[in-house]
Amino acid sequence: MFDTNMTPLNISKKNEEKITTFIDLALEFNKTHNIFVRKNAKEVFEKDIVDCLPITSEILDKESVLDLGSGGGFPGILIGILKPNNKVCLVESSSKKCYFLKKTVHELSLKNILFPLMKSIVPSIFDFLWSRLLLHFFFLLPSSWGNSNLGKLL
């Protein structure tokens, strides 16, 4: 599945296996819970993994990441796999997606991924913030966040 022409980053065999397992888990869960619109592993790889890989090269070792609206785990789980020394916080409001994310993190033994409650998040402690909801992002922020420095918005 890993096409070296599509993945410019040097990914270890162990991480390739974890990413493949992640894709398999997502596709299996998706059969009954509809967490995304992909039909097969090749499509997930080409449209989600390859799309998210450049983000991982922007994140330095030990920097923290907040994935707001984590959905099916892209890029949060991918970052967790490829950056094991980085704290990655996944925030998802859908209970079925949150269940999938927690199950996947457990199955992949990703010790660097956390699931904080939205009201407990202090934005200034994160080096990176990722959200596919960026256009509406500032309407989603709790008022307690104020004008905090969010670091880099990915």
Side-chain angles (χ1 to χ4, degrees):
M1 179 185 316
F2 277 80
D3 180 350
T4 54
N5 294 322
M6 295 184 77
T7 56
L9 301 175
N10 191 12
I11 299 174
S12 72
K13 203 61 152 161
K14 178 182 172 186
N15 284 341
E16 280 185 20
E17 290 171 6
K18 281 189 174 192
I19 292 168
T20 300
T21 300
F22 168 39
I23 292 169
D24 292 343
L25 290 168
L27 288 168
E28 186 61 32
F29 193 79
N30 199 52
K31 287 178 184 176
T32 55
H33 293 89
N34 192 30
I35 56 172
F36 56 72
V37 195
R38 308 295 182 233
K39 292 180 176 39
N40 58 54
K42 184 176 190 286
E43 188 177 6
V44 173
F45 180 77
E46 291 175 357
K47 294 185 177 176
D48 294 308
I49 301 297
V50 171
D51 187 50
C52 292
L53 280 174
I55 294 166
T56 64
S57 65
E58 296 294 320
I59 302 168
L60 301 177
D61 195 38
K62 298 190 178 175
E63 287 186 321
S64 59
V65 178
L66 173 62
D67 182 1
L68 184 61
S70 301
F74 302 101
I77 290 192
L78 183 63
I79 294 168
I81 292 169
L82 298 175
K83 299 286 188 171
N85 295 323
N86 296 60
K87 178 176 71 175
V88 181
C89 293
L90 306 182
V91 177
E92 176 54 56
S93 62
S94 165
S95 57
K96 70 180 175 182
K97 290 177 184 176
C98 206
Y99 172 80
F100 164 74
L101 293 168
K102 288 179 178 181
K103 182 177 183 235
T104 301
V105 164
H106 175 75
E107 292 212 20
L108 296 175
S109 300
L110 299 174
K111 306 293 184 208
N112 60 330
I113 293 185
L114 308 169
F115 296 90
L117 295 174
M118 182 68 175
K119 65 183 179 183
S120 69
I121 296 171
V122 179
S124 60
I125 66 169
F126 295 98
D127 298 300
F128 290 89
L129 173 101
W130 168 263
S131 176
R132 292 188 177 193
L133 307 170
L134 232 58
L135 293 175
H136 306 285
F137 174 68
F138 291 103
F139 297 107
L140 297 173
L141 291 178
S143 59
S144 62
W145 283 22
N147 292 323
S148 299
N149 177 10
L150 291 173
K152 273 188 170 175
L153 294 176
L154 295 174

